[in-house]
Amino acid sequence: MAKMAVIEGSHAIAEAAKVCRPAVVSAYPITPQTHIVEDISQMIADGELMNCEYVRTESEFSAASVILGAAAAGTRVFSATSSQGAVLMYEVLFSMAGMRLPGVLAMANRSVSSPLSIWNDHQDAISARDNGWIQLWAEDNQEAADMIVQAFKIGEDRRILLPVMVNLDGFLITHTYEPVEILDQNMVDEFLPPYEPLYKLDPKDPVTMGALAQPEYYTEARYMIHYAQLCAKDVIEEVAEEFGKKFGRYKGGLIDTYKMEGAEVVLISMGSVIGTMKDAVDEMRAEGIPVGIVKIRSYRPFPVEALREALKGAKVVCVLDKNISMGMEGAVFTDLKAALYNVKGSPDILGFIIGLGGRDITITDIKNLTNKGFAKMRGEKVSEMEWYKLDVDILPEGI
């Protein structure tokens, strides 16, 4: 039977991974994800997680390689990483998606060097957006834990067969204590049956995986990954619905919305900042200001159709990006503009680079951004893209 507990976000992730019964967990420490694999290690030592091989590796590259190999052998796999560790995994992450091997990686989102910063932003996962992994983004501890279970079911669906990255903000979720319903093992067993691979490495039935593709085949192989991502839109919604019926919690499949009734200015983002945005919107709504929120839960696949539907009637959209594509703009901002391109009556879109390297995002900040949206609606001159609160006083002269 499920029980409530006030636990750290990392421990909630470990508990969720445990009840999914992974057969192989690989681990290499990096702040702020280390608590996740530490907790799983303790669970195995205490006999709480049986029939699971825990592999301590010498690097994140090896940790990713271990779960790739284990997945190829037909087992359910899990790992976790962050920041530079994720960067060290990138080569293997591409291979795992290309080989169509499901598995789940908890990404404790952190800034990427240099300069060195251990604090939260979304650069690590955003920089991995094109490797073929499905990317889900959690707002709080409970959603992060629930996403782990859903992620296994989505990735192992034979219409998909792709690995899934569950993103949770470093420190803001991983090290924060919140009430979390710890999932019941029997209920999870009913929701998530044992993994039955479509293909696996077996000496009795030899197959080749990850082979060379000549130019005659490479494009089609890449298209199949893209097609699986598009198919995942339906599967993500289906799994969220099924999870809601089974466990009594539904937070939206591809996106979620908040106080969108009559909203003229809409705020869009991903991750834990959504909580601060909700507090700001509550205060503004109490003052009669028509503002709402669209939360992106699935960044890859990008929920084009769901966003078009949700933003009907909006006049200005403000996108909060905790990442930057250098030389361009925020990734979500770019993707949203592409999604709404050529859509009749689409809203104006403003982009804000915000919260990099752990810089605080306050309710006042959210209100300031919203005010810029209303200024744009009134026809006032507003920058399309802004580095919010950029401190020009500490920049070198001439910049």
Side-chain angles (χ1 to χ4, degrees), residues 276 280 361-371 388-389:
T276 306
I361 303 174
T362 66
I363 290 175
T364 300
D365 293 328
I366 303 300
K367 290 182 176 179
N368 288 340
L369 302 186
T370 305
N371 289 337
Y388 184 74
K389 277 190 172 178

Side-chain angles (χ1 to χ4, degrees), residues 6-158:
V6 178
I7 57 176
E8 189 185 63
S10 292
H11 190 65
I13 292 290
E15 286 284 349
K18 180 187 73 175
V19 294
C20 293
R21 301 187 187 277
V24 174
V25 173
S26 63
Y28 189 79
I30 182 170
T31 301
Q33 73 82 19
T34 306
H35 290 185
I36 299 172
V37 289
E38 278 183 350
D39 286 343
I40 292 177
S41 172
Q42 191 65 54
M43 291 168 181
I44 294 173
D46 292 343
E48 297 177 26
L49 176 55
M50 307 291 285
N51 302 317
C52 180
E53 186 77 19
Y54 186 88
V55 184
R56 291 175 296 171
T57 60
E58 74 278 17
S59 73
E60 287 88 353
F61 181 86
S62 298
S65 299
V66 164
I67 60 170
L68 182 151
T75 62
R76 180 172 286 160
V77 299
F78 176 84
S79 191
T81 192
S82 181
S83 185
Q84 307 303 129
V87 174
L88 197 52
M89 285 185 171
Y90 281 172
E91 178 183 345
V92 185
L93 299 186
F94 271 88
S95 297
M96 197 164 170
M99 294 167 70
R100 307 297 298 275
L101 298 173
V104 173
L105 177 75
M107 181 77 87
N109 301 115
R110 193 189 111 178
S111 53
V112 176
S113 298
S114 63
L116 176 63
S117 166
I118 65 167
W119 307 111
N120 166 255
D121 64 32
H122 295 167
Q123 199 66 54
D124 48 9
I126 291 296
S127 298
R129 69 176 181 180
D130 298 326
N131 59 23
W133 283 58
I134 291 169
Q135 283 199 18
L136 305 178
W137 290 76
E139 175 184 345
D140 54 33
N141 293 8
Q142 185 70 69
E143 187 171 30
D146 293 348
M147 270 186 182
I148 294 292
V149 180
Q150 294 180 44
F152 277 111
K153 195 172 182 76
I154 294 165
E156 293 173 4
D157 188 296
R158 290 193 173 183

Side-chain angles (χ1 to χ4, degrees), residues 102-339:
V104 173
L105 177 75
M107 181 77 87
N109 301 115
R110 193 189 111 178
S111 53
V112 176
S113 298
S114 63
L116 176 63
S117 166
I118 65 167
W119 307 111
N120 166 255
D121 64 32
H122 295 167
Q123 199 66 54
D124 48 9
I126 291 296
S127 298
R129 69 176 181 180
D130 298 326
N131 59 23
W133 283 58
I134 291 169
Q135 283 199 18
L136 305 178
W137 290 76
E139 175 184 345
D140 54 33
N141 293 8
Q142 185 70 69
E143 187 171 30
D146 293 348
M147 270 186 182
I148 294 292
V149 180
Q150 294 180 44
F152 277 111
K153 195 172 182 76
I154 294 165
E156 293 173 4
D157 188 296
R158 290 193 173 183
R159 292 170 289 177
I160 309 304
L161 295 179
L162 285 175
V164 182
M165 182 184 298
V166 174
N167 290 279
L168 56 150
D169 284 329
F171 297 108
L172 298 170
I173 292 181
T174 58
H175 288 59
T176 298
Y177 282 73
E178 290 181 342
V180 174
E181 182 177 307
I182 298 176
L183 295 158
D184 176 75
Q185 182 67 71
N186 292 331
M187 292 177 68
V188 173
D189 287 343
E190 292 171 3
F191 177 79
L192 181 68
Y195 174 45
E196 294 290 341
L198 185 59
Y199 304 104
K200 66 178 181 180
L201 295 178
D202 183 350
K204 296 177 183 176
D205 184 20
V207 296
T208 298
M209 292 186 178
L212 171 73
Q214 300 284 7
E216 293 86 346
Y217 301 103
Y218 184 84
T219 297
E220 288 70 21
R222 302 302 291 172
Y223 176 77
M224 289 173 65
I225 302 170
H226 173 68
Y227 181 74
Q229 284 264 350
L230 297 181
C231 292
K233 293 181 184 181
D234 288 339
V235 176
I236 290 168
E237 295 280 9
E238 291 171 13
V239 170
E241 288 280 353
E242 184 181 348
F243 186 91
K245 292 176 182 175
K246 184 71 178 178
F247 298 95
R249 289 187 298 279
Y250 177 76
K251 295 184 179 239
L254 296 166
I255 65 170
D256 200 2
T257 60
Y258 187 73
K259 297 194 173 179
M260 283 291 288
E261 302 81 11
E264 295 181 337
V265 172
V266 177
L267 310 173
I268 292 184
S269 196
M270 310 188 295
S272 64
V273 72
I274 297 293
T276 306
M277 290 163 61
K278 287 178 177 176
D279 289 341
V281 166
D282 286 345
E283 292 185 10
M284 289 187 282
R285 279 284 185 170
E287 299 170 3
I289 300 172
V291 57
I293 296 171
V294 172
K295 175 175 80 173
I296 294 177
R297 294 182 78 248
S298 169
Y299 178 61
R300 284 294 181 272
F302 196 67
V304 173
E305 299 82 3
L307 287 168
R308 288 176 178 172
E309 182 64 28
L311 294 174
K312 284 182 178 177
K315 296 179 179 175
V316 178
V317 177
C318 300
V319 182
L320 284 69
D321 265 303
K322 297 177 78 173
N323 69 86
I324 174 64
S325 178
M326 297 296 182
M328 190 55 178
E329 53 201 12
V332 179
F333 181 46
T334 300
D335 287 343
L336 182 65
K337 288 195 294 184

Side-chain angles (χ1 to χ4, degrees), residues 379-399:
E380 299 174 17
K381 187 176 180 180
V382 179
S383 296
E384 181 181 307
M385 202 282 278
E386 175 182 340
W387 286 67
Y388 184 74
K389 277 190 172 178
L390 185 68
D391 189 350
V392 296
D393 292 336
I394 61 175
L395 293 175
E397 187 177 353
I399 294 181

